[in-house]
């Protein structure tokens, strides 16, 4: 078991995920034999992670210390903070504490994974206090792009450690949950030992616009459209969904909802009181045909260009119930996440080609970030007045800029710590120091597989995508040193077989000679013959094409040595 280099009178803080990256937020605060976990998120894969669905942290350190973990507390219900919960619970069944909306979303995830009845769940509010033998956890309300967002204060024997979660200072939120500035100031006045704060927008010297500002822009757009409106946004953005639905009802439009996650968001939002939408405001897909275009709003997923989301299928003409009509207005009420820009632009182009008018981008004022800019980050620092500072949730350059902001707000630069996942910061009442490191790499989720896709598999997928594959098929009798059939060569993604007959014929002759030579060697085996075929054919094909396709020999072995 990995033992931290932390003294008995020190608290330890670390990121299992979320440091040097956007996503995978999973943080630990530890004092002696008690650990409080904050969030359990996923990260969406970059383009080079071919076929990978999600990335989660390596939970090995937590598994080795599972008896010390007292709680998993959740700041809010976004995927980069709760998406890893079911995977964590499969290896580490600990009590979960979350606000109403986050809890509803977590229950859905646990049910999908067959874990709902085996996990201890506790709903909390910003006024809740959790007491453990050596530590205490309290909460304070923040604002983000989803309701029930809280920051977390962990009270340890050496001082209070605050983790903000994702936040901005929205003083006019449409959900009527303003940030609790008084509680933040009270924590700061009583003394914060260390502040762990969201760094996402540390590069932006702004005060992020309020959701009310976006609402005014959307209201203006609805006022000027007389045809059908298709509105795409994140299913988790209840505030934006509320704005769209309120404007639809104000203009006498009926609402049709498409996308499983959007359906779930509407159900959860109505049950928890965030969406005040009567039953008769909704219509089914088949009812849309009988309604005038200016009396309908289609609310759907797909604002990030996801291939299987409702909007992408509408754009491609493959949606079973909805197709673009001339005069339709499609509103993208979100900005593309880094890496999704190409997909989003492709969907926009297809919608425009089909005759729709597409409203998107910052110029139309139809989206605002859920993360505070530099001015809000400085306000958080001034309210909390921390002795030490650890920027979280951001790539390295964002963390670095955030420490510079902290210095401007009175935190000495040598009291700020830019850390990587697995780094441990030890805190006493007056000092902070780096105290070792544990392994905290990435684990890939591919379908139902967890961690069974590694670098070798990804390298193979990369090779297949770039160079293609060549399959060699032959039947061999090793006892008689005889090739009974073949070899045949099949190409997929390498060369077009119909136009490359001469190359493939020469390749077959070369492989035939290689197999015969390999069979005559002492202690010849299927493995040695396969290796010889791969080496020889790779060399031959590179000489002819300057490409390195994957070579896959399929040898059918006859005889006693098969």
């Amino acid at each position: 078991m990995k033992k931290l280099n932390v003294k008995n009178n020190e608290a330890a803080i670390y990121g299992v995920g979320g440091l040097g990256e956007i996503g995978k937020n999973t943080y630990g605060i530890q004092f002696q034999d008690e650990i409080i976990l904050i969030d359990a998120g996923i990260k969406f894969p970059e383009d080079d992670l071919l076929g990978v669905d999600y990335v989660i942290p390596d939970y090995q350190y937590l598994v080795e210390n599972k008896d010390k973990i007292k709680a998993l507390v959740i700041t809010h219900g976004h995927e980069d903070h709760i998406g890893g919960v079911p995977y964590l619970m499969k290896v580490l069944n600990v009590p979960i504490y979350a606000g109403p909306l986050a809890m509803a979303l977590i229950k859905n995830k646990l049910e999908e994974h067959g874990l709902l009845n085996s996990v201890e769940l506790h709903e909390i509010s910003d006024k809740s206090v959790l007491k453990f033998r050596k530590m205490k956890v309290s909460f304070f309300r923040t604002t983000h792009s989803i309701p029930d967002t809280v920051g977390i204060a962990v009270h340890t024997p050496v001082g209070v450690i605050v983790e903000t979660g994702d936040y901005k200072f929205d003083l006019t939120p449409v959900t009527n949950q303003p940030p609790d500035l008084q509680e933040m100031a009270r924590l700061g006045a009583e003394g914060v030992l260390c502040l762990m704060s969201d760094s996402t927008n540390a590069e932006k010297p702004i005060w992020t616009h309020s959701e009310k500002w976006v609402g005014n822009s959307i209201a203006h757009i609805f006022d000027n459209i007389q045809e059908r409106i298709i509105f795409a946004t994140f299913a988790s953005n209840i505030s934006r969904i509320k704005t769209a639905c309120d404007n639809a009802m104000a203009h006498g439009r009926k609402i049709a909802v498409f996308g499983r996650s959007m359906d779930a968001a509407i159900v959860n939002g109505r049950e928890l009181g965030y969406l005040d939408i009567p039953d008769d405001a909704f219509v089914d897909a088949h009812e849309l045909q009988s309604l005038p275009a200016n009396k309908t709003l289609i609310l759907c997923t797909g604002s990030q260009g996801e291939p299987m989301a409702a909007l992408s299928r509408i754009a491609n003409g493959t949606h079973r119930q909805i197709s673009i009509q001339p005069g339709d207005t499609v509103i993208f009420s979100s900005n593309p996440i880094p890496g999704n820009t190409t997909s989003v632009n492709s969907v926009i182009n297809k919608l425009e080609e089909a005759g729709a008018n597409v409203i998107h981008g910052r110029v139309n004022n139809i989206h605002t970030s859920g993360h505070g800019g530099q001015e809000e980050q400085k306000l958080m620092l001034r309210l909390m007045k921390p002795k030490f500072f650890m920027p979280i949730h951001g790539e390295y350059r964002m963390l670095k800029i955030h420490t510079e902001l902290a210095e401007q707000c009175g935190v000495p630069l040598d009291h700020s710590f830019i850390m990587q996942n697995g780094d441990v910061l030890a805190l006493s009442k007056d000092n902070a120091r780096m105290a070792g490191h544990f392994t905290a790499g990435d684990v890939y989720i591919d379908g139902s597989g967890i961690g069974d896709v590694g670098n070798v598999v990804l390298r193979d997928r990369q090779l297949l995508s770039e160079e293609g594959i060549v399959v060699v098929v032959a039947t061999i009798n090793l006892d008689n040193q005889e090739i009974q059939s073949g070899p045949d060569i099949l190409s997929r993604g390498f060369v077009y077989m119909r136009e490359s007959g001469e190359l493939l014929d020469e390749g077959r002759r070369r492989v035939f000679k290689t197999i015969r030579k390999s069979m005559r060697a002492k202690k010849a085996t299927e493995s040695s013959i396969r290796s010889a075929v791969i080496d020889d054919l790779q060399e031959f094909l590179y000489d002819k094409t300057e490409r390195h396709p994957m070579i896959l020999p399929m040898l059918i072995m006859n005889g006693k040595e098969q």
Side-chain angles (χ1 to χ4, degrees):
M1 181 184 294
K2 181 72 175 177
K3 185 173 176 59
L4 302 185
N5 180 26
V6 178
K7 298 173 185 175
N8 213 36
N9 64 340
E10 292 177 318
I13 57 178
Y14 42 81
V16 184
L19 299 176
E21 60 188 350
I22 299 293
K24 245 170 71 221
N25 292 282
T26 311
Y27 306 99
I29 298 176
Q30 183 169 345
F31 184 80
Q32 295 178 2
D33 60 350
E34 289 186 356
I35 297 174
I36 303 298
L37 288 183
I38 300 175
D39 291 339
I42 60 169
K43 182 168 70 173
F44 294 101
E46 301 289 343
D47 291 342
D48 59 336
L49 297 180
L50 300 170
V52 173
D53 297 320
Y54 311 114
V55 184
I56 60 173
D58 182 345
Y59 298 131
Q60 186 57 39
Y61 174 78
L62 301 180
V63 171
E64 291 175 354
N65 291 273
K66 61 183 178 181
D67 294 337
K68 298 177 182 177
I69 300 173
K70 302 305 175 187
L72 169 63
V73 291
I74 301 296
T75 60
H76 66 284
H78 278 154
E79 287 294 300
D80 56 337
H81 294 259
I82 66 167
V85 167
Y87 304 107
L88 181 61
M89 290 301 106
K90 287 177 182 178
V91 296
L92 190 76
N93 197 329
V94 298
I96 300 174
Y97 298 82
L101 181 56
M103 184 59 76
L105 296 170
I106 287 170
K107 285 180 178 178
N108 291 342
K109 292 179 180 300
L110 293 175
E111 189 169 27
E112 287 177 8
H113 287 259
L115 297 170
L116 183 57
N117 296 324
S118 61
V119 177
E120 183 182 333
L121 302 173
H122 301 273
E123 189 174 296
I124 55 97
S125 74
D126 57 299
K127 303 302 182 186
S128 298
V129 177
L130 314 179
K131 294 183 179 179
F132 303 98
R133 196 161 54 88
K134 297 175 181 175
M135 291 194 285
K136 182 177 76 171
V137 180
S138 64
F139 304 87
F140 55 93
R141 189 170 60 238
T142 59
T143 43
H144 187 40
S145 55
I146 188 172
D148 298 333
T149 307
V150 293
I152 293 170
V154 180
H155 304 254
T156 78
V158 297
V160 178
I161 299 165
V162 172
E163 205 267 46
T164 64
D166 293 355
Y167 73 92
K168 66 179 181 179
F169 285 99
D170 189 342
L171 305 180
T172 55
V174 299
T175 54
N176 198 30
Q177 292 181 335
D180 193 343
L181 299 172
Q182 291 82 5
E183 180 60 17
M184 297 180 208
R186 188 190 66 78
L187 284 165
E190 292 184 355
V192 171
L193 179 63
C194 185
L195 175 65
M196 305 165 66
S197 186
D198 171 23
S199 306
T200 308
N201 277 350
E203 296 174 290
K204 299 180 179 179
I206 60 170
W207 186 293
T208 301
H209 282 295
S210 167
E211 190 64 33
K212 186 78 74 177
W213 173 81
V214 177
N216 293 336
S217 298
I218 290 173
H220 179 72
I221 290 169
F222 270 68
D223 287 340
N224 290 282
I225 295 176
Q226 299 304 317
E227 300 294 332
R228 191 169 65 167
I229 297 176
I230 301 174
F231 193 96
T233 190
F234 291 110
S236 61
N237 196 336
I238 299 292
S239 299
R240 201 66 50 80
I241 293 170
K242 173 178 168 58
T243 298
C245 291
D246 287 351
N247 277 283
M249 291 186 290
H251 288 81
R253 292 178 182 265
K254 297 292 185 180
I255 303 162
V257 182
F258 292 92
R260 190 176 68 167
S261 59
M262 189 65 76
D263 270 324
I266 296 287
V267 170
N268 289 329
R270 294 177 76 199
E271 286 180 352
L272 295 170
Y274 302 125
L275 299 176
D276 184 17
I277 311 172
D279 290 343
D280 62 6
F282 295 100
V283 292
D284 293 330
H286 68 272
E287 297 177 82
L288 284 174
Q289 306 303 324
S290 61
L291 289 172
N294 66 345
K295 294 299 179 184
T296 58
L297 169 71
I298 295 172
L299 189 63
C300 66
T301 56
S303 64
Q304 294 300 304
E306 307 95 310
M308 297 309 295
L311 186 60
S312 292
R313 289 185 285 125
I314 293 170
N316 291 327
T318 57
H319 198 286
R320 289 183 301 168
Q321 298 161 310
I322 303 296
S323 59
I324 291 296
Q325 300 172 3
D328 282 351
T329 295
V330 181
I331 300 173
F332 278 75
S333 193
S334 66
N335 287 335
I337 293 172
N340 290 351
T341 303
T342 301
S343 300
V344 171
N345 288 341
S346 175
V347 172
I348 291 172
N349 286 331
K350 289 174 182 175
L351 291 167
E352 293 272 10
E353 288 171 10
N357 174 39
V358 181
I359 298 175
H360 65 96
R362 292 180 177 87
V363 69
N364 293 295
N365 300 338
I366 49 174
H367 180 65
T368 185
S369 175
H371 302 268
Q374 288 184 0
E375 298 307 309
E376 288 143 291
Q377 291 169 349
K378 288 187 283 188
L379 176 56
M380 181 65 79
L381 284 156
R382 288 296 188 188
L383 287 169
M384 292 294 176
K385 297 184 289 189
K387 184 174 290 185
F388 301 103
F389 179 59
M390 174 183 161
I392 60 172
H393 195 201
E395 296 174 5
Y396 182 85
R397 66 186 187 280
M398 303 168 188
L399 305 182
K400 184 174 184 292
I401 293 171
H402 207 169
T403 63
E404 294 167 0
L405 297 176
E407 186 179 24
Q408 295 173 26
C409 294
V411 180
L413 200 55
D414 62 357
H415 282 210
S416 289
F417 296 85
I418 300 176
M419 295 170 55
Q420 298 178 353
N421 294 329
D423 287 347
V424 179
L425 183 65
L427 297 161
S428 65
K429 291 182 179 180
D430 300 306
N431 295 294
R433 62 183 181 86
M434 299 303 293
H437 179 86
F438 59 83
T439 301
D442 290 342
V443 173
Y444 303 132
I445 307 294
D446 187 354
S448 60
I450 303 174
D452 55 355
V453 175
N455 290 332
V456 173
V457 173
L458 289 172
R459 196 161 55 244
D460 285 349
R461 290 180 180 179
Q462 188 75 26
L463 182 63
L464 286 168
S465 72
E466 293 176 352
E467 308 281 5
I469 185 172
V470 171
V471 182
V472 178
V473 183
T475 302
I476 297 171
N477 188 313
L478 198 51
D479 295 339
N480 300 333
Q481 297 182 357
E482 178 184 7
I483 300 174
Q484 295 179 326
S485 67
D488 294 316
I489 294 181
L490 304 173
S491 165
R492 293 293 182 270
F494 170 58
V495 293
Y496 186 43
M497 293 184 65
R498 221 176 256 180
E499 296 179 358
S500 305
E502 188 175 324
L503 172 69
L504 297 178
D505 285 342
E506 189 176 348
R508 284 189 203 97
R509 290 192 291 271
R510 181 148 178 167
V511 170
F512 185 88
K513 293 177 182 177
T514 300
I515 294 175
R516 287 188 62 182
K517 181 179 178 182
S518 300
M519 284 194 299
R520 291 170 182 162
K522 290 183 178 179
K523 298 182 179 179
T525 63
E526 179 184 357
S527 177
S528 67
I529 298 170
R530 283 171 52 87
S531 296
V533 169
I534 291 171
D535 292 343
D536 197 47
L537 192 55
Q538 274 186 341
E539 181 183 344
F540 167 74
L541 292 175
Y542 183 77
D543 286 343
K544 297 293 184 181
T545 67
E546 294 190 357
R547 281 185 275 166
H548 281 112
M550 179 179 286
I551 309 296
L552 181 61
M554 299 180 64
L555 304 180
I556 302 165
M557 308 297 288
N558 288 332
K560 289 184 289 185
E561 297 297 325
Q562 62 182 313

